[in-house]
């Protein structure tokens, strides 16, 4: 009998995996293995089910009343009877694929940094928090994967948005917080391009325009489909977590929520959790955040061809970083908790992207030091 791993389906998958860029493969493997080791105890102990998982042991995953009409579709890979091991393994597989796509999107080349990115995306508190909703965990992470794939297609191909918009709508229809994840990755990509040699301002502005049109189109389609689904099933939008007030924004409310995003960012880097009793002091972030931002600035200064406009773009992006990394409050002002803040993983991706430029930064510092030494020696002579 032919060995199972030698079956055509497995052979095709292995060949497809081998054609993926090496950094993406490393990110996938590190993400899956790291997540498996971290969450295995929870996945194999059903008695650890807490929160909504206790009241949804049998669930159709239908959340039309929450504006999540596609959640039942993306959760259909797992049985209606929640089995933590099955749901969890699908969740881990989707998260690992997401990690590989993110590494390709931000163009990480270092195997070590790719491995770190994979671990960050698998072990972020938002992923662990998803297991409290184990009946939806697989669908939520598949939706996040679709959101990242949609962003990659929009970024890489002129007409990639034609596939990107429907994929993002599908992701938002499962969990609206995926929009904040997309926004955070846009920020990481923008900073990566600013510190990358040879990138012109015109291409950056064109990409920003495509991003805005892509996100606006996806939101518009999503809101239309929410209305269609609610009328079709006769289920009004719930007031849960201000879902029923989605899109009903006034200038004053937008400004208040904008400032709240900065407060949420501070909470995230301070306690790594929003729920009382689960705080973990984030003192390391007090060191990490200025180091990551400082390294980003140093990487930019090491790039040839700087212009005042590019410098202004860098300053604006760094100033808006807390908002862009934790923008969920704009869409869900009622409450924000760890499950919604997967976008904060972008903070650590910024540091990894900047670290990839570290050799250039050190080279420029060495050149500057040699130049100053030469000037001093010339003055002595």
């Amino acid at each position: 009998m032919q060995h199972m791993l030698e079956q055509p389906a497995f052979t095709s998958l292995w060949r497809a995996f081998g054609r993926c860029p090496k950094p993406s493969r490393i990110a996938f493997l590190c993400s899956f293995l790291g997540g498996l080791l971290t969450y295995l105890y929870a996945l194999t102990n059903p008695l650890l089910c807490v929160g909504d998982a206790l009241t949804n042991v049998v669930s159709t995953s239908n959340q039309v009343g929450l504006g999540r009409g596609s959640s039942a579709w993306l959760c259909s890979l797992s049985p209606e009877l929640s089995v933590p091991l099955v749901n969890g393994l699908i969740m881990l597989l989707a998260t690992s694929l997401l990690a590989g796509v993110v590494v390709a999107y931000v163009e990480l080349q270092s195997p070590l940094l790719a491995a770190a990115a994979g671990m960050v995306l698998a072990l972020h508190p938002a992923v662990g928090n998803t297991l409290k909703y184990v009946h939806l965990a697989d669908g939520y992470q598949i939706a996040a994967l679709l959101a990242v794939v949609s962003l990659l297609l929009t970024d890489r191909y002129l007409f990639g948005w034609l596939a990107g918009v429907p994929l993002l709508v599908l992701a938002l229809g499962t969990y609206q917080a995926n929009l904040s994840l997309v926004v955070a990755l846009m920020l990481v990509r923008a900073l990566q391009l600013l510190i990358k040699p040879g990138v012109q301002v015109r291409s950056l502005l064109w990409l920003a325009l495509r991003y805005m049109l892509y996100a606006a189109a996806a939101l518009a389609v999503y809101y239309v489909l929410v209305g269609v689904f609610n009328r079709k099933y006769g289920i009004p939008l719930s007031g849960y977590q201000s879902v029923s007030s989605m899109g009903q924004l006034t200038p004053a409310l937008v400004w208040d929520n904008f400032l709240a995003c900065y407060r949420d960012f501070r909470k995230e880097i301070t306690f790594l959790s929003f729920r009382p009793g689960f705080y973990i002091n984030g003192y390391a972030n007090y060191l990490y955040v200025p180091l990551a931002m400082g390294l980003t600035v140093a990487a930019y200064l090491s790039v040839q061809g700087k212009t005042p406009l590019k410098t202004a773009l860098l300053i604006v992006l760094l100033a808006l970083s807390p908002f862009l990394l934790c923008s969920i409050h704009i869409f869900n002002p009622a409450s924000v908790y760890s499950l919604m803040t997967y976008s904060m993983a972008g903070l650590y991706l910024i540091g990894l992207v900047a670290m990839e430029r570290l050799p250039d930064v050190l080279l420029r510092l060495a050149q500057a030091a040699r130049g100053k030494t030469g000037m001093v020696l010339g003055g002595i002579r």
Side-chain angles (χ1 to χ4, degrees), residues 214-290:
Y214 146 80
L219 272 177
V221 175
Y222 166 73
Y223 281 126
V224 170
L225 289 179
V226 166
V228 170
F229 274 88
N230 291 136
R231 285 192 295 272
K232 177 180 178 181
Y233 293 101
I235 302 175
L237 278 178
S238 167
Y240 175 68
Q241 295 179 355
S242 67
V243 168
S244 58
S245 61
M246 287 189 307
Q248 301 174 12
L249 301 175
T250 64
L253 184 59
V254 169
W255 177 249
D256 289 342
N257 290 343
F258 174 78
L259 295 179
C261 290
Y262 282 81
R263 292 194 291 270
D264 289 343
F265 176 84
R266 179 185 60 79
K267 291 178 182 177
E268 272 288 285
I269 66 171
T270 303
F271 299 116
L272 304 183
S273 171
F274 283 96
R275 289 192 177 276
F278 291 92
Y279 289 156
I280 302 174
N281 279 323
Y283 294 123
N285 281 328
Y286 293 141
L287 178 62
Y288 170 78
V289 171

Side-chain angles (χ1 to χ4, degrees), residues 62-363:
N62 190 327
Q63 300 187 90
V64 173
L66 296 178
R68 303 171 188 172
S70 59
S71 63
W73 303 341
L74 296 189
C75 291
S76 61
L77 289 177
S78 58
E80 290 186 6
L81 175 62
S82 295
V83 181
L85 183 61
V86 174
N87 295 60
L89 286 177
I90 296 174
M91 179 198 79
L92 279 179
L93 181 61
T95 304
S96 304
L97 289 170
L98 179 150
V101 175
V102 167
V103 165
Y105 173 66
V106 298
E107 298 182 343
L108 282 177
Q109 299 300 319
S110 165
L112 181 60
L113 296 179
M119 296 292 282
V120 163
L121 291 165
L123 305 183
H124 190 272
V127 178
N129 203 268
T130 303
L131 291 175
K132 292 173 59 179
Y133 311 86
V134 70
H135 59 294
L136 298 169
D138 51 342
Y140 279 0
Q141 287 306 102
I142 291 173
L145 169 63
L146 293 180
V148 173
V149 170
S150 78
L151 185 56
L152 177 67
L153 293 173
T154 302
D155 180 89
R156 293 294 194 272
Y157 305 103
L158 181 61
F159 295 103
W161 59 272
L162 291 174
V165 169
L167 287 175
L168 183 56
V169 171
L170 192 59
L172 296 179
T174 301
Y175 200 51
Q176 295 92 335
N178 285 317
L179 184 60
S180 62
L181 173 63
V182 166
V183 170
L185 291 176
M186 288 178 180
L187 169 66
V188 178
R189 175 65 168 161
L191 290 174
Q192 184 258 333
L193 290 174
L194 275 172
I195 63 177
K196 182 180 179 180
V199 177
Q200 302 297 319
V201 174
R202 180 181 298 180
S203 63
L204 289 172
L205 295 177
W206 170 241
L207 182 61
L209 177 62
R210 285 170 56 197
Y211 278 166
M212 287 188 288
L213 293 175
Y214 146 80
L219 272 177
V221 175
Y222 166 73
Y223 281 126
V224 170
L225 289 179
V226 166
V228 170
F229 274 88
N230 291 136
R231 285 192 295 272
K232 177 180 178 181
Y233 293 101
I235 302 175
L237 278 178
S238 167
Y240 175 68
Q241 295 179 355
S242 67
V243 168
S244 58
S245 61
M246 287 189 307
Q248 301 174 12
L249 301 175
T250 64
L253 184 59
V254 169
W255 177 249
D256 289 342
N257 290 343
F258 174 78
L259 295 179
C261 290
Y262 282 81
R263 292 194 291 270
D264 289 343
F265 176 84
R266 179 185 60 79
K267 291 178 182 177
E268 272 288 285
I269 66 171
T270 303
F271 299 116
L272 304 183
S273 171
F274 283 96
R275 289 192 177 276
F278 291 92
Y279 289 156
I280 302 174
N281 279 323
Y283 294 123
N285 281 328
Y286 293 141
L287 178 62
Y288 170 78
V289 171
L291 279 176
M293 297 306 160
L295 184 56
T296 301
V297 172
Y300 173 75
L301 294 176
S302 70
V303 174
Q304 300 289 342
K306 295 181 291 294
T307 65
L309 184 54
K310 288 182 73 172
T311 303
L313 284 174
L314 179 68
I315 294 172
V316 170
L317 286 176
L318 291 179
L320 290 176
S321 288
F323 163 67
L324 297 174
L325 288 168
C326 205
S327 60
I328 186 61
H329 205 106
I330 286 288
F331 312 109
N332 187 64
S335 63
V336 175
Y337 51 90
S338 295
L339 180 63
M340 302 177 180
T341 56
Y342 199 22
S343 57
M344 280 296 294
L347 174 64
Y348 306 101
L349 294 176
I350 290 173
L352 296 176
V353 165
M355 284 184 67
E356 190 138 65
R357 307 301 310 169
L358 187 59
D360 294 333
V361 174
L362 296 176
L363 179 61

